[in-house]
Amino acid sequence: ARISPAAAVVFDVPSDEDTVMGARVYVAGGLSTDGRRFTSVESYDPPNDEWFECAPMQEARSAAMAFSQGSKFYVVGGENGDASADDDGILRTMEVYDEDLGSPHFEFGPPMPSPRCAAASGMIDGKFYVAGGRGPQFEMLTSTVVFDVETQERSHLAEMPEPGADGARAVV
């Protein structure tokens, strides 16, 4: 198999929070080489090999977790780069974009129980799992949290055997 180049991203920004919704890949936020975080969101349309600018998030962030369910795209946690802020700039906020409503912006959803960035995450049967990551003071975490999209409830699960962050993720 041969890998072909795809269209360039709308913004010349390395973004690191992504998810697939329908037939598009969404990329939210990111970190520039000079340390700035972004509110930008882009979507990639593979059949047409095109990138599109989407509504921006309300809060600039990098190292967040993202997922989609139905017509909604969620961005959770991350870091805003403000080490003097509460929780050292590590975020607990959730932002939600509903593609079906044609909403011109993201709205805040229920926050995570604790601030977290750079965690492994994935969706299984309508539940979003977040494992490990980094907390305030960039402490490596062992906690695992699950968010039920339908009930909007969160619960803690078994701790990971070792703390971890910045790991690869996949749902099998």
Side-chain angles (χ1 to χ4, degrees), residues 11-17 28-40 57 59-63 79-82:
F11 298 100
D12 187 19
V13 175
S15 297
D16 58 357
E17 296 74 63
L31 177 66
S32 71
T33 55
D34 65 359
R36 289 178 299 130
R37 273 67 178 183
F38 296 94
T39 59
S40 61
M57 295 180 292
E59 206 167 13
R61 62 182 78 217
S62 65
E79 59 177 305
N80 65 14
D82 185 358

Side-chain angles (χ1 to χ4, degrees), residues 65 118-122 129-133 164-169:
M65 293 68 65
S121 60
Y129 293 82
V130 179
D166 302 312
R169 54 194 173 252

Side-chain angles (χ1 to χ4, degrees), residues 67-69 121-130 145-155 157 171:
F67 68 98
S68 64
Q69 176 77 16
S121 60
M123 279 290 285
I124 301 172
D125 296 330
K127 295 180 180 168
F128 182 61
Y129 293 82
V130 179
V145 176
V146 62
F147 172 67
D148 186 311
V149 176
E150 186 177 325
T151 66
Q152 301 280 296
E153 292 179 3
R154 289 182 169 68
S155 50
L157 303 175
V171 175

Side-chain angles (χ1 to χ4, degrees), residues 10-156:
V10 173
F11 298 100
D12 187 19
V13 175
S15 297
D16 58 357
E17 296 74 63
D18 59 30
T19 193
V20 175
M21 183 167 68
R24 291 192 177 198
V25 176
Y26 285 76
V27 181
L31 177 66
S32 71
T33 55
D34 65 359
R36 289 178 299 130
R37 273 67 178 183
F38 296 94
T39 59
S40 61
V41 179
E42 301 97 28
S43 70
Y44 177 66
D45 179 4
N48 296 310
D49 191 27
E50 291 182 86
W51 282 95
F52 297 93
E53 182 177 349
C54 301
M57 295 180 292
Q58 294 189 46
E59 206 167 13
R61 62 182 78 217
S62 65
M65 293 68 65
F67 68 98
S68 64
Q69 176 77 16
S71 66
K72 293 183 179 180
F73 172 51
Y74 299 77
V75 182
V76 184
E79 59 177 305
N80 65 14
D82 185 358
S84 65
D86 290 344
D87 298 323
D88 300 310
I90 307 299
L91 303 171
R92 69 177 71 224
T93 54
M94 171 189 285
E95 295 194 49
V96 184
Y97 177 81
D98 191 335
E99 189 175 65
D100 277 354
L101 296 178
S103 174
H105 62 276
F106 279 78
E107 295 182 1
F108 283 108
M112 290 193 300
S114 59
R116 184 182 308 247
C117 69
S121 60
M123 279 290 285
I124 301 172
D125 296 330
K127 295 180 180 168
F128 182 61
Y129 293 82
V130 179
R134 298 176 194 269
Q137 300 176 341
F138 287 93
E139 172 193 4
M140 301 283 266
L141 304 173
T142 57
S143 59
T144 303
V145 176
V146 62
F147 172 67
D148 186 311
V149 176
E150 186 177 325
T151 66
Q152 301 280 296
E153 292 179 3
R154 289 182 169 68
S155 50
H156 288 273

